[in-house]
PDB file of all heavy atoms in Angstrom:
ATOM      1  N   GLU A1329      -7.764  -5.627  19.954  1.00 96.00           N
ATOM      2  CA  GLU A1329      -6.645  -6.551  20.101  1.00 96.00           C
ATOM      3  C   GLU A1329      -7.059  -7.769  20.928  1.00 96.00           C
ATOM      4  O   GLU A1329      -7.939  -7.686  21.787  1.00 96.00           O
ATOM      5  CB  GLU A1329      -5.450  -5.883  20.790  1.00 96.00           C
ATOM      6  CG  GLU A1329      -4.922  -4.641  20.091  1.00 96.00           C
ATOM      7  CD  GLU A1329      -5.460  -3.367  20.699  1.00 96.00           C
ATOM      8  OE1 GLU A1329      -6.573  -3.387  21.270  1.00 96.00           O
ATOM      9  OE2 GLU A1329      -4.772  -2.336  20.620  1.00 96.00           O
ATOM     10  N   SER A1330      -6.373  -8.877  20.681  1.00 96.00           N
ATOM     11  CA  SER A1330      -6.573 -10.081  21.466  1.00 96.00           C
ATOM     12  C   SER A1330      -5.319 -10.943  21.378  1.00 96.00           C
ATOM     13  O   SER A1330      -4.453 -10.706  20.542  1.00 96.00           O
ATOM     14  CB  SER A1330      -7.796 -10.863  20.986  1.00 96.00           C
ATOM     15  OG  SER A1330      -7.629 -11.297  19.647  1.00 96.00           O
ATOM     16  N   GLY A1331      -5.226 -11.943  22.237  1.00 97.00           N
ATOM     17  CA  GLY A1331      -4.133 -12.898  22.173  1.00 97.00           C
ATOM     18  C   GLY A1331      -3.060 -12.737  23.230  1.00 97.00           C
ATOM     19  O   GLY A1331      -2.136 -13.553  23.297  1.00 97.00           O
ATOM     20  N   GLY A1332      -3.145 -11.709  24.056  1.00 98.00           N
ATOM     21  CA  GLY A1332      -2.154 -11.526  25.096  1.00 98.00           C
ATOM     22  C   GLY A1332      -2.280 -12.574  26.182  1.00 98.00           C
ATOM     23  O   GLY A1332      -3.255 -13.323  26.248  1.00 98.00           O
ATOM     24  N   GLY A1333      -1.272 -12.628  27.045  1.00 98.00           N
ATOM     25  CA  GLY A1333      -1.270 -13.588  28.133  1.00 98.00           C
ATOM     26  C   GLY A1333       0.060 -13.612  28.842  1.00 98.00           C
ATOM     27  O   GLY A1333       0.908 -12.751  28.626  1.00 98.00           O
ATOM     28  N   SER A1334       0.239 -14.605  29.691  1.00 98.00           N
ATOM     29  CA  SER A1334       1.470 -14.782  30.457  1.00 98.00           C
ATOM     30  C   SER A1334       2.201 -16.029  29.990  1.00 98.00           C
ATOM     31  O   SER A1334       1.607 -17.105  29.884  1.00 98.00           O
ATOM     32  CB  SER A1334       1.153 -14.893  31.950  1.00 98.00           C
ATOM     33  OG  SER A1334       0.530 -13.719  32.438  1.00 98.00           O
ATOM     34  N   VAL A1335       3.495 -15.871  29.704  1.00 98.00           N
ATOM     35  CA  VAL A1335       4.323 -16.986  29.257  1.00 98.00           C
ATOM     36  C   VAL A1335       5.689 -16.896  29.908  1.00 98.00           C
ATOM     37  O   VAL A1335       6.095 -15.841  30.407  1.00 98.00           O
ATOM     38  CB  VAL A1335       4.499 -17.013  27.722  1.00 98.00           C
ATOM     39  CG1 VAL A1335       3.160 -17.193  27.026  1.00 98.00           C
ATOM     40  CG2 VAL A1335       5.178 -15.729  27.247  1.00 98.00           C
ATOM     41  N   GLN A1336       6.414 -18.006  29.894  1.00 98.00           N
ATOM     42  CA  GLN A1336       7.783 -18.009  30.371  1.00 98.00           C
ATOM     43  C   GLN A1336       8.728 -17.553  29.270  1.00 98.00           C
ATOM     44  O   GLN A1336       8.398 -17.622  28.083  1.00 98.00           O
ATOM     45  CB  GLN A1336       8.180 -19.405  30.844  1.00 98.00           C
ATOM     46  CG  GLN A1336       7.433 -19.893  32.066  1.00 98.00           C
ATOM     47  CD  GLN A1336       8.024 -21.165  32.623  1.00 98.00           C
ATOM     48  OE1 GLN A1336       9.110 -21.150  33.212  1.00 98.00           O
ATOM     49  NE2 GLN A1336       7.324 -22.263  32.431  1.00 98.00           N
ATOM     50  N   ALA A1337       9.889 -17.077  29.655  1.00 98.00           N
ATOM     51  CA  ALA A1337      10.892 -16.664  28.686  1.00 98.00           C
ATOM     52  C   ALA A1337      11.159 -17.783  27.685  1.00 98.00           C
ATOM     53  O   ALA A1337      11.273 -18.950  28.064  1.00 98.00           O
ATOM     54  CB  ALA A1337      12.175 -16.271  29.398  1.00 98.00           C
ATOM     55  N   GLY A1338      11.244 -17.403  26.418  1.00 98.00           N
ATOM     56  CA  GLY A1338      11.445 -18.375  25.358  1.00 98.00           C
ATOM     57  C   GLY A1338      10.161 -18.844  24.715  1.00 98.00           C
ATOM     58  O   GLY A1338      10.204 -19.500  23.664  1.00 98.00           O
ATOM     59  N   GLY A1339       9.033 -18.515  25.299  1.00 98.00           N
ATOM     60  CA  GLY A1339       7.748 -18.922  24.771  1.00 98.00           C
ATOM     61  C   GLY A1339       7.276 -18.033  23.640  1.00 98.00           C
ATOM     62  O   GLY A1339       7.958 -17.090  23.232  1.00 98.00           O
ATOM     63  N   SER A1340       6.069 -18.330  23.144  1.00 98.00           N
ATOM     64  CA  SER A1340       5.513 -17.613  22.002  1.00 98.00           C
ATOM     65  C   SER A1340       4.074 -17.201  22.258  1.00 98.00           C
ATOM     66  O   SER A1340       3.346 -17.852  23.009  1.00 98.00           O
ATOM     67  CB  SER A1340       5.550 -18.491  20.744  1.00 98.00           C
ATOM     68  OG  SER A1340       6.873 -18.837  20.381  1.00 98.00           O
ATOM     69  N   LEU A1341       3.673 -16.118  21.607  1.00 98.00           N
ATOM     70  CA  LEU A1341       2.304 -15.646  21.610  1.00 98.00           C
ATOM     71  C   LEU A1341       1.996 -15.062  20.241  1.00 98.00           C
ATOM     72  O   LEU A1341       2.897 -14.577  19.558  1.00 98.00           O
ATOM     73  CB  LEU A1341       2.071 -14.570  22.671  1.00 98.00           C
ATOM     74  CG  LEU A1341       2.009 -14.984  24.137  1.00 98.00           C
ATOM     75  CD1 LEU A1341       1.968 -13.739  25.019  1.00 98.00           C
ATOM     76  CD2 LEU A1341       0.789 -15.851  24.401  1.00 98.00           C
ATOM     77  N   ARG A1342       0.734 -15.098  19.853  1.00 98.00           N
ATOM     78  CA  ARG A1342       0.309 -14.431  18.633  1.00 98.00           C
ATOM     79  C   ARG A1342      -0.810 -13.460  18.967  1.00 98.00           C
ATOM     80  O   ARG A1342      -1.873 -13.856  19.440  1.00 98.00           O
ATOM     81  CB  ARG A1342      -0.171 -15.420  17.564  1.00 98.00           C
ATOM     82  CG  ARG A1342      -0.447 -14.722  16.218  1.00 98.00           C
ATOM     83  CD  ARG A1342      -0.834 -15.681  15.118  1.00 98.00           C
ATOM     84  NE  ARG A1342      -2.199 -16.169  15.266  1.00 98.00           N
ATOM     85  CZ  ARG A1342      -2.863 -16.816  14.322  1.00 98.00           C
ATOM     86  NH1 ARG A1342      -2.271 -17.059  13.144  1.00 98.00           N
ATOM     87  NH2 ARG A1342      -4.089 -17.240  14.546  1.00 98.00           N
ATOM     88  N   LEU A1343      -0.557 -12.191  18.710  1.00 98.00           N
ATOM     89  CA  LEU A1343      -1.541 -11.155  18.925  1.00 98.00           C
ATOM     90  C   LEU A1343      -2.334 -10.912  17.645  1.00 98.00           C
ATOM     91  O   LEU A1343      -1.787 -11.008  16.547  1.00 98.00           O
ATOM     92  CB  LEU A1343      -0.876  -9.850  19.367  1.00 98.00           C
ATOM     93  CG  LEU A1343       0.066  -9.927  20.566  1.00 98.00           C
ATOM     94  CD1 LEU A1343       0.568  -8.529  20.914  1.00 98.00           C
ATOM     95  CD2 LEU A1343      -0.615 -10.573  21.757  1.00 98.00           C
ATOM     96  N   SER A1344      -3.602 -10.594  17.798  1.00 96.00           N
ATOM     97  CA  SER A1344      -4.459 -10.305  16.663  1.00 96.00           C
ATOM     98  C   SER A1344      -5.080  -8.924  16.822  1.00 96.00           C
ATOM     99  O   SER A1344      -5.374  -8.493  17.939  1.00 96.00           O
ATOM    100  CB  SER A1344      -5.571 -11.347  16.544  1.00 96.00           C
ATOM    101  OG  SER A1344      -5.045 -12.637  16.313  1.00 96.00           O
ATOM    102  N   CYS A1345      -5.277  -8.260  15.708  1.00 94.00           N
ATOM    103  CA  CYS A1345      -5.942  -6.965  15.685  1.00 94.00           C
ATOM    104  C   CYS A1345      -7.028  -7.012  14.624  1.00 94.00           C
ATOM    105  O   CYS A1345      -6.730  -7.086  13.432  1.00 94.00           O
ATOM    106  CB  CYS A1345      -4.943  -5.846  15.387  1.00 94.00           C
ATOM    107  SG  CYS A1345      -5.689  -4.199  15.263  1.00 94.00           S
ATOM    108  N   ALA A1346      -8.265  -6.984  15.061  1.00 91.00           N
ATOM    109  CA  ALA A1346      -9.399  -6.950  14.149  1.00 91.00           C
ATOM    110  C   ALA A1346      -9.800  -5.499  13.928  1.00 91.00           C
ATOM    111  O   ALA A1346     -10.015  -4.765  14.894  1.00 91.00           O
ATOM    112  CB  ALA A1346     -10.566  -7.751  14.712  1.00 91.00           C
ATOM    113  N   PHE A1347      -9.900  -5.090  12.678  1.00 87.00           N
ATOM    114  CA  PHE A1347     -10.181  -3.700  12.375  1.00 87.00           C
ATOM    115  C   PHE A1347     -11.356  -3.562  11.415  1.00 87.00           C
ATOM    116  O   PHE A1347     -11.660  -4.460  10.632  1.00 87.00           O
ATOM    117  CB  PHE A1347      -8.938  -3.004  11.792  1.00 87.00           C
ATOM    118  CG  PHE A1347      -8.391  -3.656  10.545  1.00 87.00           C
ATOM    119  CD1 PHE A1347      -8.782  -3.237   9.288  1.00 87.00           C
ATOM    120  CD2 PHE A1347      -7.466  -4.685  10.638  1.00 87.00           C
ATOM    121  CE1 PHE A1347      -8.273  -3.830   8.146  1.00 87.00           C
ATOM    122  CE2 PHE A1347      -6.948  -5.299   9.510  1.00 87.00           C
ATOM    123  CZ  PHE A1347      -7.359  -4.864   8.254  1.00 87.00           C
ATOM    124  N   SER A1348     -12.003  -2.407  11.478  1.00 86.00           N
ATOM    125  CA  SER A1348     -13.151  -2.123  10.626  1.00 86.00           C
ATOM    126  C   SER A1348     -13.316  -0.621  10.474  1.00 86.00           C
ATOM    127  O   SER A1348     -12.742   0.159  11.233  1.00 86.00           O
ATOM    128  CB  SER A1348     -14.427  -2.734  11.211  1.00 86.00           C
ATOM    129  OG  SER A1348     -14.726  -2.159  12.472  1.00 86.00           O
ATOM    130  N   GLY A1349     -14.108  -0.225   9.486  1.00 81.00           N
ATOM    131  CA  GLY A1349     -14.440   1.179   9.316  1.00 81.00           C
ATOM    132  C   GLY A1349     -13.454   1.998   8.502  1.00 81.00           C
ATOM    133  O   GLY A1349     -13.499   3.230   8.553  1.00 81.00           O
ATOM    134  N   TYR A1350     -12.579   1.367   7.728  1.00 68.00           N
ATOM    135  CA  TYR A1350     -11.615   2.101   6.923  1.00 68.00           C
ATOM    136  C   TYR A1350     -12.294   2.777   5.742  1.00 68.00           C
ATOM    137  O   TYR A1350     -13.212   2.217   5.134  1.00 68.00           O
ATOM    138  CB  TYR A1350     -10.516   1.177   6.408  1.00 68.00           C
ATOM    139  CG  TYR A1350      -9.633   0.634   7.495  1.00 68.00           C
ATOM    140  CD1 TYR A1350      -9.820  -0.663   7.975  1.00 68.00           C
ATOM    141  CD2 TYR A1350      -8.624   1.407   8.047  1.00 68.00           C
ATOM    142  CE1 TYR A1350      -9.017  -1.162   8.978  1.00 68.00           C
ATOM    143  CE2 TYR A1350      -7.819   0.904   9.054  1.00 68.00           C
ATOM    144  CZ  TYR A1350      -8.017  -0.370   9.516  1.00 68.00           C
ATOM    145  OH  TYR A1350      -7.217  -0.863  10.518  1.00 68.00           O
ATOM    146  N   THR A1351     -11.812   3.971   5.414  1.00 58.00           N
ATOM    147  CA  THR A1351     -12.355   4.721   4.291  1.00 58.00           C
ATOM    148  C   THR A1351     -11.542   4.540   3.018  1.00 58.00           C
ATOM    149  O   THR A1351     -11.947   5.016   1.963  1.00 58.00           O
ATOM    150  CB  THR A1351     -12.440   6.217   4.626  1.00 58.00           C
ATOM    151  OG1 THR A1351     -11.138   6.718   4.954  1.00 58.00           O
ATOM    152  CG2 THR A1351     -13.372   6.442   5.802  1.00 58.00           C
ATOM    153  N   TYR A1352     -10.398   3.848   3.101  1.00 62.00           N
ATOM    154  CA  TYR A1352      -9.572   3.547   1.946  1.00 62.00           C
ATOM    155  C   TYR A1352      -8.921   2.182   2.159  1.00 62.00           C
ATOM    156  O   TYR A1352      -8.802   1.715   3.290  1.00 62.00           O
ATOM    157  CB  TYR A1352      -8.513   4.625   1.692  1.00 62.00           C
ATOM    158  CG  TYR A1352      -7.777   5.077   2.926  1.00 62.00           C
ATOM    159  CD1 TYR A1352      -6.609   4.463   3.333  1.00 62.00           C
ATOM    160  CD2 TYR A1352      -8.267   6.147   3.685  1.00 62.00           C
ATOM    161  CE1 TYR A1352      -5.938   4.883   4.465  1.00 62.00           C
ATOM    162  CE2 TYR A1352      -7.609   6.570   4.817  1.00 62.00           C
ATOM    163  CZ  TYR A1352      -6.438   5.937   5.204  1.00 62.00           C
ATOM    164  OH  TYR A1352      -5.777   6.366   6.334  1.00 62.00           O
ATOM    165  N   SER A1353      -8.493   1.560   1.082  1.00 71.00           N
ATOM    166  CA  SER A1353      -8.037   0.180   1.154  1.00 71.00           C
ATOM    167  C   SER A1353      -6.610   0.005   1.662  1.00 71.00           C
ATOM    168  O   SER A1353      -6.320  -0.982   2.345  1.00 71.00           O
ATOM    169  CB  SER A1353      -8.171  -0.489  -0.216  1.00 71.00           C
ATOM    170  OG  SER A1353      -7.400   0.193  -1.193  1.00 71.00           O
ATOM    171  N   ASP A1354      -5.715   0.923   1.338  1.00 83.00           N
ATOM    172  CA  ASP A1354      -4.311   0.805   1.730  1.00 83.00           C
ATOM    173  C   ASP A1354      -4.055   1.574   3.021  1.00 83.00           C
ATOM    174  O   ASP A1354      -4.348   2.759   3.112  1.00 83.00           O
ATOM    175  CB  ASP A1354      -3.397   1.325   0.629  1.00 83.00           C
ATOM    176  CG  ASP A1354      -3.522   0.528  -0.662  1.00 83.00           C
ATOM    177  OD1 ASP A1354      -3.972  -0.627  -0.603  1.00 83.00           O
ATOM    178  OD2 ASP A1354      -3.167   1.072  -1.725  1.00 83.00           O
ATOM    179  N   ASN A1355      -3.482   0.882   3.994  1.00 86.00           N
ATOM    180  CA  ASN A1355      -3.244   1.479   5.308  1.00 86.00           C
ATOM    181  C   ASN A1355      -1.868   1.124   5.841  1.00 86.00           C
ATOM    182  O   ASN A1355      -1.262   0.136   5.437  1.00 86.00           O
ATOM    183  CB  ASN A1355      -4.292   0.985   6.311  1.00 86.00           C
ATOM    184  CG  ASN A1355      -5.701   1.310   5.902  1.00 86.00           C
ATOM    185  OD1 ASN A1355      -6.146   2.448   6.051  1.00 86.00           O
ATOM    186  ND2 ASN A1355      -6.410   0.317   5.381  1.00 86.00           N
ATOM    187  N   CYS A1356      -1.400   1.944   6.768  1.00 92.00           N
ATOM    188  CA  CYS A1356      -0.232   1.624   7.563  1.00 92.00           C
ATOM    189  C   CYS A1356      -0.739   1.235   8.945  1.00 92.00           C
ATOM    190  O   CYS A1356      -1.356   2.056   9.637  1.00 92.00           O
ATOM    191  CB  CYS A1356       0.709   2.829   7.656  1.00 92.00           C
ATOM    192  SG  CYS A1356       2.235   2.518   8.566  1.00 92.00           S
ATOM    193  N   MET A1357      -0.510  -0.001   9.317  1.00 93.00           N
ATOM    194  CA  MET A1357      -0.949  -0.497  10.608  1.00 93.00           C
ATOM    195  C   MET A1357       0.252  -0.834  11.468  1.00 93.00           C
ATOM    196  O   MET A1357       1.153  -1.538  11.023  1.00 93.00           O
ATOM    197  CB  MET A1357      -1.837  -1.731  10.443  1.00 93.00           C
ATOM    198  CG  MET A1357      -3.087  -1.461   9.635  1.00 93.00           C
ATOM    199  SD  MET A1357      -4.328  -2.762   9.817  1.00 93.00           S
ATOM    200  CE  MET A1357      -4.741  -2.564  11.560  1.00 93.00           C
ATOM    201  N   GLY A1358       0.247  -0.338  12.689  1.00 95.00           N
ATOM    202  CA  GLY A1358       1.385  -0.529  13.571  1.00 95.00           C
ATOM    203  C   GLY A1358       1.025  -1.228  14.863  1.00 95.00           C
ATOM    204  O   GLY A1358      -0.116  -1.160  15.335  1.00 95.00           O
ATOM    205  N   TRP A1359       2.012  -1.911  15.423  1.00 98.00           N
ATOM    206  CA  TRP A1359       1.930  -2.466  16.767  1.00 98.00           C
ATOM    207  C   TRP A1359       2.877  -1.671  17.658  1.00 98.00           C
ATOM    208  O   TRP A1359       4.055  -1.489  17.311  1.00 98.00           O
ATOM    209  CB  TRP A1359       2.313  -3.942  16.798  1.00 98.00           C
ATOM    210  CG  TRP A1359       1.229  -4.865  16.354  1.00 98.00           C
ATOM    211  CD1 TRP A1359       1.069  -5.420  15.127  1.00 98.00           C
ATOM    212  CD2 TRP A1359       0.154  -5.359  17.154  1.00 98.00           C
ATOM    213  NE1 TRP A1359      -0.041  -6.230  15.101  1.00 98.00           N
ATOM    214  CE2 TRP A1359      -0.626  -6.209  16.341  1.00 98.00           C
ATOM    215  CE3 TRP A1359      -0.235  -5.164  18.482  1.00 98.00           C
ATOM    216  CZ2 TRP A1359      -1.766  -6.865  16.801  1.00 98.00           C
ATOM    217  CZ3 TRP A1359      -1.376  -5.820  18.937  1.00 98.00           C
ATOM    218  CH2 TRP A1359      -2.124  -6.656  18.102  1.00 98.00           C
ATOM    219  N   PHE A1360       2.366  -1.201  18.776  1.00 98.00           N
ATOM    220  CA  PHE A1360       3.144  -0.460  19.756  1.00 98.00           C
ATOM    221  C   PHE A1360       3.038  -1.157  21.101  1.00 98.00           C
ATOM    222  O   PHE A1360       2.119  -1.937  21.342  1.00 98.00           O
ATOM    223  CB  PHE A1360       2.633   0.977  19.876  1.00 98.00           C
ATOM    224  CG  PHE A1360       2.905   1.836  18.668  1.00 98.00           C
ATOM    225  CD1 PHE A1360       2.156   1.698  17.511  1.00 98.00           C
ATOM    226  CD2 PHE A1360       3.912   2.793  18.695  1.00 98.00           C
ATOM    227  CE1 PHE A1360       2.397   2.480  16.398  1.00 98.00           C
ATOM    228  CE2 PHE A1360       4.164   3.590  17.590  1.00 98.00           C
ATOM    229  CZ  PHE A1360       3.415   3.430  16.443  1.00 98.00           C
ATOM    230  N   ARG A1361       3.971  -0.851  21.983  1.00 98.00           N
ATOM    231  CA  ARG A1361       3.903  -1.402  23.332  1.00 98.00           C
ATOM    232  C   ARG A1361       4.342  -0.355  24.339  1.00 98.00           C
ATOM    233  O   ARG A1361       5.116   0.551  24.035  1.00 98.00           O
ATOM    234  CB  ARG A1361       4.756  -2.661  23.467  1.00 98.00           C
ATOM    235  CG  ARG A1361       6.257  -2.435  23.334  1.00 98.00           C
ATOM    236  CD  ARG A1361       6.992  -3.766  23.339  1.00 98.00           C
ATOM    237  NE  ARG A1361       8.435  -3.602  23.240  1.00 98.00           N
ATOM    238  CZ  ARG A1361       9.290  -4.600  23.089  1.00 98.00           C
ATOM    239  NH1 ARG A1361       8.845  -5.860  23.011  1.00 98.00           N
ATOM    240  NH2 ARG A1361      10.598  -4.365  23.008  1.00 98.00           N
ATOM    241  N   GLN A1362       3.836  -0.500  25.549  1.00 98.00           N
ATOM    242  CA  GLN A1362       4.181   0.433  26.607  1.00 98.00           C
ATOM    243  C   GLN A1362       4.254  -0.301  27.941  1.00 98.00           C
ATOM    244  O   GLN A1362       3.282  -0.910  28.374  1.00 98.00           O
ATOM    245  CB  GLN A1362       3.157   1.565  26.688  1.00 98.00           C
ATOM    246  CG  GLN A1362       3.536   2.658  27.674  1.00 98.00           C
ATOM    247  CD  GLN A1362       2.673   3.898  27.520  1.00 98.00           C
ATOM    248  OE1 GLN A1362       1.569   3.835  26.989  1.00 98.00           O
ATOM    249  NE2 GLN A1362       3.179   5.026  27.968  1.00 98.00           N
ATOM    250  N   ALA A1363       5.415  -0.230  28.567  1.00 97.00           N
ATOM    251  CA  ALA A1363       5.619  -0.787  29.891  1.00 97.00           C
ATOM    252  C   ALA A1363       5.425   0.309  30.929  1.00 97.00           C
ATOM    253  O   ALA A1363       5.583   1.495  30.619  1.00 97.00           O
ATOM    254  CB  ALA A1363       7.022  -1.384  29.998  1.00 97.00           C
ATOM    255  N   PRO A1364       5.099  -0.054  32.164  1.00 94.00           N
ATOM    256  CA  PRO A1364       4.904   0.954  33.208  1.00 94.00           C
ATOM    257  C   PRO A1364       6.112   1.872  33.352  1.00 94.00           C
ATOM    258  O   PRO A1364       7.249   1.408  33.424  1.00 94.00           O
ATOM    259  CB  PRO A1364       4.693   0.116  34.469  1.00 94.00           C
ATOM    260  CG  PRO A1364       4.112  -1.163  33.968  1.00 94.00           C
ATOM    261  CD  PRO A1364       4.828  -1.410  32.659  1.00 94.00           C
TER     262      PRO A1364
END
């Protein structure tokens, strides 16, 4: 993952996930988050 950072409320960010090593072409890819 990449693209995280600090912003003020109302701002925008774009996260990226670079992946490799798949054994089949169709996948389910998810974004999850966890706060303390």
Side-chain angles (χ1 to χ4, degrees):
E1329 302 98 333
S1330 62
S1334 299
V1335 298
Q1336 294 190 72
S1340 298
L1341 286 172
R1342 187 176 75 167
L1343 307 183
S1344 298
C1345 177
F1347 58 93
S1348 63
Y1350 293 101
T1351 59
Y1352 45 91
S1353 60
D1354 298 338
N1355 301 282
C1356 183
M1357 300 196 66
W1359 280 98
F1360 291 76
R1361 66 186 181 187
Q1362 186 168 22

